[in-house]
Amino acid sequence: TLVQFASIRPAKKILYLVFNVSIRLEASKIFPANTDVKSFHALAYSKCGFRYARKLKPELKVSMVMAHRKILKLPKESQTPTLYKAIVETIDNFCNSADTKLNSSHIPSYVAHDSAASVLSSCILFFHEMKSRDSDVPMTHAGYLKLYAMSSPRLDDIYDIIMVDEAQDINPVIASIVLAQTNAPKIIVGDVHQSIYSFSGSRNILENIAATKVFCLTQCFRFGWKISSIANVLLRNFTSEKKRIAGMNNFHNKSIISFCAANVEDWYIWDKYERKHPIKDKCFVRYTIVARTNQTLWNIALHLLDRKIPFIFIGGVRGYNLQRCIDIAKFLGGDSKVKQTNKFLAMFKTPNDFHKFAIETGDSELIRCWNTCLQYGADTVIDRFNAVIKISEENEKCNNLIHDVV
């Protein structure tokens, strides 16, 4: 729809903004020459992020704050792992917000009232060092995006029309950039039911925009009537959505939709008969398993490993925190050497200190690692997770990542 919109307006200079790199690369191939396709971070990097290329990090981590703890100007006894975590989360909350100054609203709820002032002052000092190109304190992607927003960019001086896709996944700082472009008409596209980035502070800005016109795209060309029927059942029973979506009228397709109860053991393992290709003879489809947490995928991978069923982790197994869980298992198992290479774990004297930190800060990923180590035992996690990493990486080398079923 947006491609056609841009195509019939060749005299207009259009900016198409997307949230992630994969969408940007795909869109760059199909939009006409009058449209610049950019991700929000690429836009911000070209204006101010490049200045921090020397010290740029993907995200702020507790170990980074600990490494630069001298700039915090706090008594040594008050500098705890929980304090470092609070500084990280406060700065992250500020960077994702539309606010122009750090304030107490950015401090996480687990910080005690009498500690809030020291956390806030520490964050102000730390973020000042992040902004300084002469300092070794790392800058993050969220950090330079925040600086770009605070510079009040005027995209409407360059572009006649601004289009924003996946609006359900943009956070307040991005929304503030878009909505500030008052001299250019804006087309904002999104679907609240597809929001997957709430963990990064995304909000549904569609609810807060007084649009001139609203169009509902209820026809989808990406799937047929079977999937749309199931989607409508889910929307009707689990959301307040009143509209219904329509798939393609391919009533003669041979696709199969399978269901199983949530309590069925090994629901994720499909035998050859179930995976028989609906069209190609003697061909069996591969399938993708999607889960809400890494822990679920870890458990599935271990079961597939036991049954010698080939598998890979899409995007690379290193992105699923198995190594982090291995390090935590080593720490819980009494291996003191792991603290020499893992700066984060070096902050804790005992496993109980680590567990207390995870509970106090509500760090769900650390809690999952702890629970996994308790479930299988530290030695088992170390051995079998290493085996999962090895097998997955071997399979990745000979797999083209095309999957027929999700």
Side-chain angles (χ1 to χ4, degrees), residues 295-311:
Q295 186 179 14
T296 300
L297 296 177
W298 298 341
N299 292 333
I300 291 173
L302 291 176
H303 291 164
L304 295 177
L305 185 70
D306 290 340
R307 294 182 178 227
K308 298 182 180 180
I309 299 174
F311 63 88

Side-chain angles (χ1 to χ4, degrees), residues 122-354:
S122 297
C123 290
I124 292 172
L125 289 171
F126 200 86
F127 191 68
H128 176 76
E129 293 298 315
M130 288 175 63
K131 293 188 294 182
S132 173
R133 283 179 280 172
D134 297 325
S135 171
D136 289 331
V137 174
M139 173 56 75
T140 64
H141 294 298
Y144 70 70
L145 178 61
K146 183 65 174 179
L147 296 181
Y148 175 68
M150 292 170 65
S151 70
S152 301
R154 298 309 316 178
L155 301 174
D156 50 3
D157 288 343
I158 305 171
Y159 297 99
D160 301 310
I161 301 172
I162 298 173
M163 303 190 299
V164 180
D165 208 352
E166 305 295 344
Q168 76 279 354
D169 284 330
I170 67 177
N171 56 32
V173 68
I174 294 175
S176 70
I177 297 172
V178 173
L179 299 180
Q181 313 309 313
T182 54
N183 296 325
K186 294 171 282 293
I187 299 176
I188 300 177
V189 181
D191 180 357
V192 63
H193 304 302
Q194 296 187 44
S195 178
I196 59 173
Y197 287 99
S198 58
F199 66 89
S200 66
S202 67
R203 300 290 183 272
N204 178 26
I205 69 166
L206 300 171
E207 294 179 347
N208 302 318
I209 296 176
T212 306
K213 291 184 180 180
V214 177
F215 300 95
C216 297
L217 305 178
T218 56
Q219 175 77 48
C220 184
F221 63 88
R222 293 180 176 175
F223 47 73
W225 65 274
K226 293 183 179 180
I227 291 179
S228 65
S229 297
I230 301 304
N232 285 326
V233 170
L234 297 175
L235 290 171
R236 183 173 65 249
N237 287 280
F238 297 102
T239 76
S240 59
E241 183 61 66
K242 302 299 182 185
K243 295 181 176 59
R244 298 292 174 258
I245 58 174
M248 301 296 288
N249 293 327
N250 51 347
F251 294 104
H252 301 292
N253 74 62
K254 298 182 180 180
S255 62
I256 299 171
I257 298 178
S258 301
F259 296 90
C260 66
N263 60 353
V264 173
E265 187 178 1
D266 296 344
W267 57 267
Y268 43 83
I269 297 178
W270 290 2
D271 61 30
K272 274 193 171 185
Y273 176 78
E274 292 176 307
R275 293 189 290 110
K276 193 174 185 307
H277 199 283
I279 300 174
K280 301 177 182 178
D281 189 34
K282 296 182 180 180
C283 182
F284 301 93
V285 299
R286 292 175 295 176
Y287 59 98
T288 305
I289 300 168
V290 180
R292 293 191 64 85
T293 68
N294 282 336
Q295 186 179 14
T296 300
L297 296 177
W298 298 341
N299 292 333
I300 291 173
L302 291 176
H303 291 164
L304 295 177
L305 185 70
D306 290 340
R307 294 182 178 227
K308 298 182 180 180
I309 299 174
F311 63 88
I312 63 169
F313 283 81
I314 295 178
V317 67
R318 298 290 175 178
Y320 291 80
N321 282 341
L322 279 92
Q323 186 59 55
R324 187 184 199 186
C325 198
I326 291 172
D327 287 348
I328 291 172
K330 290 180 179 178
F331 176 59
L332 300 186
D335 184 352
S336 59
K337 293 182 180 179
V338 70
K339 296 172 70 173
Q340 299 174 10
T341 56
N342 191 309
K343 295 179 181 179
F344 173 71
L345 292 176
M347 296 188 296
F348 305 102
K349 292 182 179 179
T350 67
N352 285 336
D353 291 338
F354 167 83

Side-chain angles (χ1 to χ4, degrees), residues 74-115:
L74 291 173
K76 185 176 181 180
E77 60 272 13
S78 67
Q79 296 193 31
T80 63
T82 301
L83 174 74
Y84 299 145
K85 176 74 171 181
I87 291 172
V88 169
E89 291 192 10
T90 301
I91 292 176
D92 282 346
N93 291 339
F94 167 64
C95 289
N96 291 330
S97 75
D99 302 324
T100 56
K101 291 184 179 180
L102 274 156
N103 60 63
S104 58
S105 69
H106 305 130
I107 299 175
S109 59
Y110 59 79
V111 175
H113 179 72
D114 56 357
S115 301

Side-chain angles (χ1 to χ4, degrees), residues 18-55:
V18 298
F19 188 75
N20 59 47
V21 175
S22 60
I23 296 177
R24 175 175 62 83
L25 294 175
E26 180 183 355
S28 298
K29 300 174 183 178
I30 59 177
F31 271 89
N34 65 325
T35 305
D36 288 341
V37 179
K38 296 183 179 182
S39 68
F40 291 101
H41 285 90
L43 191 65
Y45 186 86
S46 66
K47 298 300 180 182
C48 63
F50 71 93
R51 300 187 181 99
Y52 302 98
R54 175 186 64 85
K55 62 173 192 171

